[in-house]
């Protein structure tokens, strides 16, 4: 008797799950299915699981393919189960291709092609449908999006669009999704759009997606003019659609906890916020060659401005910039100075100069210090006058961190507005206004 085993969350049970179990059973005579526990999903960073473990087990059983169901509650369990149950074949969908090759030591490993275009037919009875998301852009950040989106239950990446059709086709083949040659067809195939294209194309792509009635998650900087940001948010509101700016720091648990503590009075009144983020970039990359929209501030400014805008607001009295520029005039290292009635902020970023990436929030009773990579906040300290009096805080930050913004984006789409406060339309509009000012001052407006 050939024994087969597979594992999954099986949340919001859909065709992809059904077909996986069907083909898994066909691989042998006896199929064991491991269903993940809430705790294990938490630990491996799978977010937004809607159905309880019992519901997910029931749905697997109802499929009729499982001869036995067990629960998966820890990372090392697969190898132990395979030995304990004398398994011949381990199988899982091809979105995991290569990631379970270590199990070849114990049994045959088979990756079954994942199912594309999950419709909601099987989900009619479910209280939440699967959100089909498409990506505009196929660059480095786009490459990071798909593995992160896979760990957010309830969302399926189905499509990609790139005006350079060959790039789109190559990306689609690599990630087993569909490439579209027209933006219209692309929009028709999805419920929401993730924009990871060059900065200056964001405005048009957001407008097109909203016009097609699609929710939008757009990489930062979402807009390079305040009026554009205001117009886009207004248009999204009129259409009853969600428009999110993707600054992953804003949605990560550690950063939101830091903001809560900073505003709790624990460090008194906030007087100064200093954030620094530098990343030495290859001089041949777009960030340092695009003389209109390249440079440090358009690339990293959204991150280093975020804590200032979130903690001191957008009603600054003065704003000025100091830059070190390269031969082509692009800013290699930039400081933005914000002056408020009772506080100040300094946002420092650089692609051509390396510095200590630190965030310091200073108050009348103490200060918060976050070492690099503070933009992926996982640990921070609260210091007071007495150097012995230090409080330490840590929050998990998993993977590339895009899953947090994707999870919040999805919950907003599903009508749960509890995440809105993390990055409001006011925040994004203020950030666009600073970008606009910077480009004006640089003569690139
Ligand atoms: N699947 C698929 N097609 C889809 C979606 C999922 O074939 N459109 C497959 C997955 O590859 C997996 C199974 O269905 O083999 C269950 O998917 P999930 O519930 O998303 O489980 P996952 O998070 O992929 O966990 O330890 C758990 C395993 O690592 C799989």
């Amino acid at each position: 008797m050939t024994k087969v085993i597979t594992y999954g969350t099986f949340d919001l049970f859909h065709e992809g799950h059904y077909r996986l179990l069907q083909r898994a059973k066909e691989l042998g005579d006896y199929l064991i299915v491991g269903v993940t526990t809430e705790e294990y999903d938490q630990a491996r960073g799978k977010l937004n699981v809607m159905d309880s473990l019992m519901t997910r087990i029931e749905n697997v059983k109802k499929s009729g393919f499982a001869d036995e169901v067990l629960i998966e509650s820890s990372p090392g369990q697969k190898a132990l189960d395979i030995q304990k149950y004398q398994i011949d074949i381990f199988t899982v969908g091809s979105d995991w291709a290569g990631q379970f090759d270590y199990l070849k030591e114990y049994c045959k490993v088979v990756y079954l092609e994942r199912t594309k275009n999950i419709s909601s037919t099987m989900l009619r009875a479910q209280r939440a449908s699967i959100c089909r998301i498409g990506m505009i852009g196929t660059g480095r950040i786009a490459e990071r999006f798909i593995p992160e989106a896979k760990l957010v239950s309830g969302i399926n990446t189905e499509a990609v669009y790139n005006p350079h059709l060959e790039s789109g086709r190559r990306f689609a083949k690599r990630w087993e999704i569909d490439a579209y040659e027209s933006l219209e067809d692309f929009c028709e195939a999805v419920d929401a759009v993730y924009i990871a294209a060059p900065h200056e194309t964001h405005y048009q792509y957001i407008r097109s997606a909203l016009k097609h009635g699609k929710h939008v998650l757009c990489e930062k900087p979402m807009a390079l003019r305040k009026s554009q940001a205001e117009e886009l948010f207004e248009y999204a509101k009129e259409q009853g659609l969600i428009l999110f700016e993707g600054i992953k720091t804003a949605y990560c648990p550690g950063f939101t906890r830091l903001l809560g503590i900073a505003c709790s009075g624990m460090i008194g009144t906030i007087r100064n916020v200093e954030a620094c983020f530098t990343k030495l970039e290859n001089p041949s990359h777009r960030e340092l060659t695009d003389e209109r929209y390249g440079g440090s501030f358009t690339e990293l400014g959204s991150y280093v401005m975020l804590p200032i805008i979130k903690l001191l607001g957008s009603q600054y009295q003065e704003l000025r910039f100091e830059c070190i520029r390269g031969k082509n005039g692009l800013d290699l290292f930039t400081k933005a100075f914000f002056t408020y009635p009772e506080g100040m902020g300094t946002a420092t970023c650089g692609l051509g100069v390396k510095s200590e990436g630190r965030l310091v929030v200073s108050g009348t009773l103490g200060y918060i210090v976050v070492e690099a990579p503070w933009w992926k906040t996982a640990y921070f300290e609260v210091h007071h006058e007495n150097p012995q009096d230090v409080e330490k805080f840590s929050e998990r930050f998993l993977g590339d961190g895009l899953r947090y913004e994707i999870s919040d984006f999805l919950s907003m789409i599903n009508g749960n507005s509890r995440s809105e406060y993390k990055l409001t339309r006011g925040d994004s509009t203020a950030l666009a206004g600073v970008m606009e000012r910077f480009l004006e001052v640089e003569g690139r407006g």
Side-chain angles (χ1 to χ4, degrees):
M1 175 168 77
T2 302
K3 296 179 79 175
V4 182
I5 198 165
T6 187
Y7 297 80
T9 304
F10 299 103
D11 189 41
L12 300 174
F13 199 81
H14 55 63
E15 291 97 304
H17 300 140
Y18 184 89
R19 289 190 62 249
L20 188 285
L21 294 176
Q22 185 176 40
R23 287 171 294 156
K25 181 59 186 281
E26 286 160 5
L27 291 174
D29 311 299
Y30 189 87
L31 173 64
I32 299 176
V33 181
V35 180
T36 53
T37 60
E38 280 97 344
E39 296 73 19
Y40 179 44
D41 278 334
Q42 274 287 329
R44 71 187 179 113
K46 177 119 188 193
L47 306 179
N48 225 49
V49 176
M50 309 282 274
D51 292 333
S52 70
L53 172 59
M54 288 322 295
T55 301
R56 293 182 284 116
I57 288 174
E58 275 315 304
N59 286 335
V60 167
K61 284 181 175 168
K62 269 191 265 180
S63 75
F65 297 115
D67 296 291
E68 190 175 343
V69 177
L70 51 82
I71 62 167
E72 183 181 26
S73 56
S74 65
Q77 186 178 325
K78 290 183 177 76
L80 295 177
D81 286 349
I82 286 167
Q83 297 169 78
K84 190 162 93 176
Y85 294 98
Q86 294 163 332
I87 297 296
D88 304 292
I89 301 171
F90 165 85
T91 187
V92 75
S94 57
D95 43 333
W96 291 95
Q99 297 188 49
F100 292 108
D101 288 356
Y102 69 90
L103 294 174
K104 285 177 180 169
E105 190 183 333
Y106 308 104
C107 69
K108 194 170 169 223
V109 173
V110 174
Y111 297 107
L112 297 167
E113 190 185 4
R114 70 183 287 277
T115 302
K116 293 181 181 176
N117 299 320
I118 300 292
S119 67
S120 302
T121 46
M122 287 192 106
L123 291 163
R124 219 183 303 286
Q126 305 268 2
R127 60 184 182 288
S129 64
I130 292 284
C131 176
R132 298 165 302 161
I133 194 162
M135 325 188 42
I136 297 182
T138 55
R140 279 164 278 156
I141 185 79
E143 293 280 340
R144 293 209 296 259
F145 180 88
I146 294 188
E148 286 284 312
K150 186 158 63 70
L151 284 163
V152 177
S153 194
I155 205 161
N156 265 352
T157 310
E158 299 287 4
V160 63
Y161 171 76
N162 184 325
H164 306 292
L165 304 183
E166 190 39 43
S167 304
R169 277 193 285 270
R170 224 182 6 255
F171 188 91
K173 190 167 181 323
R174 168 165 155 62
W175 292 104
E176 295 183 315
I177 57 178
D178 292 326
Y180 287 82
E181 301 197 354
S182 89
L183 195 55
E184 286 65 28
D185 295 348
F186 164 80
C187 284
E188 286 320 307
V190 296
D191 306 307
V193 173
Y194 169 64
I195 299 171
H199 307 328
E200 67 277 13
T201 65
H202 291 177
Y203 172 75
Q204 276 309 336
Y205 280 136
I206 296 172
R207 269 206 73 81
S208 301
L210 294 174
K211 189 155 68 55
H212 283 85
K214 307 302 169 182
H215 304 289
V216 177
L217 170 62
C218 181
E219 268 305 311
K220 44 86 193 145
M222 188 189 87
L224 297 173
R225 280 187 180 69
K226 184 171 184 175
S227 57
Q228 285 182 342
E230 285 166 339
E231 175 204 327
L232 293 171
F233 278 116
E234 204 40 49
Y235 187 31
K237 194 170 166 213
E238 285 161 15
Q239 302 268 71
L241 294 168
I242 301 299
L243 170 56
F244 245 37
E245 182 172 19
I247 307 177
K248 64 183 174 208
T249 310
Y251 305 98
C252 91
F255 187 75
T256 40
R257 186 164 181 207
L258 181 155
L259 294 183
I261 285 170
C263 299
S264 70
M266 197 185 272
I267 59 170
T269 309
I270 298 169
R271 289 282 187 251
N272 183 49
V273 179
E274 296 190 14
C276 177
F277 182 3
T278 62
K279 184 171 69 171
L280 291 182
E281 189 57 72
N282 180 325
S284 66
H285 280 180
R286 167 187 58 79
E287 293 87 336
L288 287 177
T289 53
D290 176 346
E291 298 191 10
R292 180 79 194 277
Y293 299 106
S296 304
F297 199 69
T298 51
E299 192 58 30
L300 301 176
S302 307
Y303 285 115
V304 290
M305 285 196 280
L306 179 70
I308 295 169
I309 297 296
K310 291 304 289 182
L311 291 169
L312 295 172
S314 53
Q315 303 308 311
Y316 44 84
Q317 290 167 318
E318 276 178 53
L319 168 62
R320 69 183 174 82
F321 304 94
E322 299 288 346
C323 295
I324 293 171
R325 293 179 191 81
K327 291 190 178 59
N328 60 8
L330 284 179
D331 57 309
L332 297 176
F333 189 70
T334 299
K335 284 178 173 282
F337 299 92
F338 297 77
T339 308
Y340 293 83
E342 299 193 349
M344 57 181 86
T346 307
T348 304
C349 55
L351 295 177
V353 174
K354 193 63 196 163
S355 179
E356 181 58 49
R358 182 176 289 152
L359 167 60
V360 181
V361 181
S362 311
T364 53
L365 294 179
Y367 66 89
I368 298 172
V369 57
V370 201
E371 298 300 343
W374 62 265
W375 51 92
K376 298 180 172 182
T377 319
Y379 174 77
F380 59 90
E381 295 181 351
V382 178
H383 290 248
H384 298 280
E385 181 50 36
N386 169 1
Q388 309 303 319
D389 181 6
V390 177
E391 284 160 278
K392 302 175 185 215
F393 298 88
S394 60
E395 282 283 347
R396 275 160 354 116
F397 182 96
L398 291 158
D400 251 319
L402 289 176
R403 65 188 75 179
Y404 301 112
E405 69 184 39
I406 298 167
S407 176
D408 283 332
F409 178 53
L410 183 63
S411 56
M412 291 282 285
I413 290 172
N414 288 331
N416 164 351
S417 59
R418 279 205 306 266
S419 312
E420 162 102 52
Y421 76 95
K422 295 179 185 174
L423 190 66
T424 65
R425 61 179 283 179
D427 296 331
S428 292
T429 303
L431 292 169
V434 178
M435 278 296 164
E436 179 175 5
R437 193 69 179 281
F438 172 74
L439 289 171
E440 260 167 23
V441 166
E442 288 293 289
R444 298 192 262 154

